[in-house]
Structures are given as structure tokens and as C-alpha cells.
Amino acid sequence: MLVSQQQKLQDEIRALAARHGRTRAALVPILQDLQVRYASVSDFAMQVVADEVGIHPAEVYGVVSFYAFLHSQPSGRFQIRLCQTISCDLAGKARVARQLENELGIRFGETTPDGRFSLEWASCLGMCDQGPALLVNDRVYTRVSAEQVHRIIDDCRKVFGAHAAQAAHAAHA
Amino acid sequence: MQPTSSKKTPLTFDTIAPGQGLAAALKKSRADIIGEVSASNLRGRGGAGFPTGTKWNLAAAAQGQDGGAKYVVCNADEGEPGTFKDRVLLLEYTDLVFEGMTIAARAIGATKGILYLRGEYVYMRPHLDGVLAARRTAGQLGANILGTTGFTFDIDIRMGAGAYVCGEETALIESLEGHRGEPRNRPPFPVNTGFLGQPTVVNNVETLASVSAILAKGAAWFRAIGTEKSAGFKLFSVSGDCGAPGVYEFPLGITVAALLEKVGGTGAKAVQIGGASGVCVPASEFGRRIAFEDLATGGSIIVFGQGRDMLHVAKNFMEFFVEESCGQCTPCRAGNAKLLEGIEMLERGACSSAYLRELLNLCETMQLASKCGLGQSSPNAFVSIVTHFQDEILGRTAAAH
């Protein structure tokens, strides 16, 4: 990472710590904000967060590795999470899953080489009466069929650009 | 493709005007508020069924360290498979939930509230933040609430990050404190030593909305609904093989058969009551009642039609628990993995009945020795499916499914 980028990240983390508080209880909110902005929490970011909150970096890593929505490895700008739990399973999630893999050319647990899409399984999304359900970042899709998968991915591609994360967020608000 | 409302029946909550419960509560002394909740026999709607009045009493009596604050936490980490009634409450009855938190705060003397919202529900944030802002403007949150001198209380929202176990109250508190969501030993209970070591009440979303209704309409009204040991109405999240899946309200004590009739699920092969950690009830037992004294549930009802492969169901549940076990204690971490392995043997038709008995013994060990509710209840579905559908799962050939 370039020094200037490191400096920028460091400043950003300091601002987050100032906002959420420099206490252990603020750790998860700080990490969540970083996850949204950078689609992962890098080793360097964990080190800075640890300094800000006053704990050992290994403790930060312990937290990042525990939660499914925090990633220490780079993940896609668009995180697609398909519910794998029983009601969505009964509603036909297997075919949606296969089609997601076909359209993106990756398997579950992988990220496309261009860094746009990650494909993951999710535990129950609370949309059990309208399955199969999936999340794209913070947007929820219900009653998804295999033939709709293509359109969902296309929607994401359209908003992808220099400000993809913000654009995606604005479109969902 | 866009989510639609899940509400299938009118709810009692429709008849409760926001503000009514809080206004009634503020006319009472703290002890009388708790007395009213205790008299209603309200039990925790998350599924464990602990008496809410008792919990509040303990928290009210507890002394914070160094005169520190007390906390009210709303557990909106709705993660039990097949449960989505809290989603409806949070989106469509938001005020009743925040009002319940405010009433709880008044009762136990808390100054700070936290809504712990599961990460998967992050799309609700703008709505929830908006309601909180409106409540502050209306004087329902902040200093001297509704003119009650000295009653100061406000609510923050904290997001979960995709961990089912954080629905367990001590894991939730660990998460709030910035740790891995690993459950604590109990005692001490959160009512004495909760968030940041201070007395903390953790209540489910529906419990808190019910509190608003109880204060508005009175304990006697609430107690007259349901059964003696399971008072009141309850929301049910119904999914699976039925005509009209969605959120329903029924009095506690309803039989499985009566519920199936209402949701268009008659003729089902089996029903899972209580989500992945609940039990699988076969058709021969559809006369049983859904209530704390018989089939306890946080509201998850999953219907399985005649054609469903019950071993596939058991496998889905076990994959869930292997994924969601926090890994802290051995019975749960190793036990769930071992059970999943056993299910895969059954799938291949390679499991002897002697080994199946071993697995059932392991289930008992997990139920007894796991540290928290996750490991204690994760074998339930497997045990009930093996018990009721043994004929279907033993001696499989590749063509059987």
C-alpha cells in the first residue's frame, strides 16, 4: 500500500474512532464501517484500529474472523448472500445457487477476479415466507427464481463504477 | 422480487394506539409497572419463556457498579430459522417496540437502551432511525420524558454482524462489548452483570411490543387470552409447504392441527415447531398444543408436505448448527460436526442402528453438557426426526432419494 493511502486509511480510522468512541465497545461499529467502505478489513487497518481502541491487534483479528459479515480478505463490491436455510431450501434455493454460479463463473465462497462480486451462503435471512431470498449488500431480493438471477447481477453491473459502493447504497435507500 | 408484507391476519397490535401504554405506565409507580407485567404472566417471546416481570424485578433490585447506568437491550437478532415475525414488528409496529423499551427503562431505572439489530436487517436502519428521531422530537425519548421529571432514557441502534449465536443474550452482550459472540457462563445473569458489568434487561422484540399492549389494556385482559401457563396472544412465522405462509397471530395453546387449518397446511407430513433448535412433530401428534407447557416456540412454524425427505431436513438443520456454533465448548463444536457426519452416513445408507444409538447418546451429552442454548437444543430436530421417521432414514439406497 502506498504511504499516502496508508495515511488516508489511518485518518479515516481515527475519525471513526472519534465518532464511535475509543473504547472496546466501539470496536464492532468501527469495523463495520470499514467493511462497508473497503469491502474488507486489512491487516494494516486492524493494526490501526487496535491502536485506537487500545487492544492487541490479535484481539481485533479474533473479532473480524468471528463474524460472517466482517472479512479480513478482500471481498467483492457486491456481496451476494443466498439464504441456505430450510424454508428457502424447500422453496428451491438449489437452482438459484447453481444459476448464480453459472452467471458469475465462480463457486460459493469465491470472488470474481475483477473484484466485483462475492458469492456466499447466508443463514436464515428472515424472509422464509417469500423464499428463496438473497441479499446483495444491504438490499434484499425475495421469491428469486433461476431465470431472475441474470437480471439481479445486471442491476449490479449497471451501478458499478468509480463510486460503486455509494451508488449501490443510494439506489437502495 | 421485492419483499411484501408478511402479515396474514389482523394483529392485536393494530388495536393498540402508540403512546397509550407509555402514558399508562408513567401514571404508575415503578413497582406497579412491574406488578402489572408480572400479573399478566407474560413470558419471553423469543422462545425461552422466562417470565418478563420476574426478569424486570431482578434488574430493578440490582445495584449498578459505582452507581453506573442500567441498560435495556432489545434483542432484534432474529435468526432462528423460520422466524420473521420480529421483522414485521420492527417495520410496521416500530413505536410499540420502542415504547416497550421505554416502559422497561422506567420500571428498572435504566437510562440507556440498545436495539441490537441483526446485520441481515440493515435495510431497516433508515426507517428505525427515523422513528427514533420522531420520538425524540415528541418528547418520548430524551430528558424528562413526557414531562416526567427525572426520567431520562434514549435508544441507540447497534448492528449485528452475521452470527446466529448472538441471539443468546450473553453472546449478544459480548458482541456489544466488542468481543467475539461467545456466550458467558450464567450466573451471573445479565440482570445483575450485563452490558459493561451493569444490570441489563434483554428482551425480545415481541416481548417489548406486548408490554406496550399490556400496559395499555391491562394485565387481566392479557391473561384472559391463551392458557393458564402460557398467557396471551403470540405471533407465528409460518413457512414451508402451506397455502399461505406469513405472520399470523393466535392465542397460545392452539393445537398444531388447528394452526395448519388456518394456514392452508392440512395433510402435512410433519411440522417443525421452534425453528432449527425446536422439535419436529409428526402428523400423529398434531393434536399437541403450542404453548410453553407443551411445544414451546419463539414462533417458528415450518410445514413439511408429504413428499419431503426428512433426512434432508435434518441435514439442513445440522449444516446450520455446524456453521453457527461459536466453537467455544466441545460438546457443541465437535458434537454438531459428528452428527452431520452421521447424517451423511445415513444418506449413503451406511449407518448401523448401533451407531445410530451412539449418535442419540451423543445428542443427550450435547443437551446436558453444552454451555448455552445453541448446543443444548441443536440435537432436538435430529432426535425427533430419528424417533419419528426411523423407517424412512435407515437402510437407504442411492435411489431412495
Side-chain angles (χ1 to χ4, degrees), chain A residues 24-25 27 29 32 62-63 66-69 84-87 89-90 123-130 138 142 148, chain B residues 1 3-4 6 81-82 84 87 118 122-123 158-162 175-181 239 308 312 316 324:
Chain A
R24 177 99 199 211
L27 178 59
Q32 285 169 328
V63 169
F66 183 84
Y67 294 98
F69 285 15
Q84 63 179 338
T85 310
I86 189 73
S87 302
D89 182 88
L90 298 178
S123 291
C124 187
L125 294 177
M127 284 291 166
C128 324
D129 57 330
Q130 302 170 40
D138 55 2
T142 58
Q148 288 167 343
Chain B
M1 288 230 297
T4 51
S6 295
F84 46 95
R87 160 166 60 82
R118 66 185 307 221
V122 66
Y123 59 88
R158 286 280 303 266
M159 299 306 302
S175 173
L176 284 177
E177 291 181 357
H179 294 99
R180 296 161 67 90
S239 64
R308 296 297 182 183
H312 177 79
N316 187 285
E324 296 297 340

Side-chain angles (χ1 to χ4, degrees), chain B residues 9 12-13 25 30 42 61 108 179 270 346 380:
Chain B
T9 47
T12 301
F13 291 128
R30 289 181 164 166
L42 173 66
I108 68 161
H179 294 99
L346 284 162
N380 292 350

Side-chain angles (χ1 to χ4, degrees), chain B residues 120-149:
Chain B
E120 292 82 348
Y121 285 174
V122 66
Y123 59 88
M124 294 183 188
R125 265 313 277 275
H127 168 73
L128 295 171
D129 286 333
V131 174
L132 282 179
R135 291 187 71 80
R136 283 183 198 114
T137 311
Q140 293 160 326
L141 286 175
N144 304 321
I145 290 173
L146 297 178
T148 310
T149 315

Side-chain angles (χ1 to χ4, degrees), chain A residues 9-75:
Chain A
L9 181 58
Q10 211 162 8
D11 291 346
E12 228 174 306
I13 291 171
R14 287 203 177 119
L16 285 174
R19 185 148 65 87
H20 293 295
R22 286 187 169 78
T23 63
R24 177 99 199 211
L27 178 59
V28 176
I30 293 172
L31 295 173
Q32 285 169 328
D33 281 353
L34 287 172
Q35 175 70 42
V36 169
R37 287 182 202 180
Y38 294 95
S40 72
V41 184
S42 64
D43 287 353
F44 178 74
M46 284 192 250
Q47 176 75 58
V48 179
V49 171
D51 290 346
E52 286 299 307
V53 180
I55 54 176
H56 197 279
E59 294 266 348
V60 180
Y61 178 73
V63 169
V64 171
S65 62
F66 183 84
Y67 294 98
F69 285 15
L70 298 175
H71 297 270
S72 56
Q73 296 301 318
S75 57

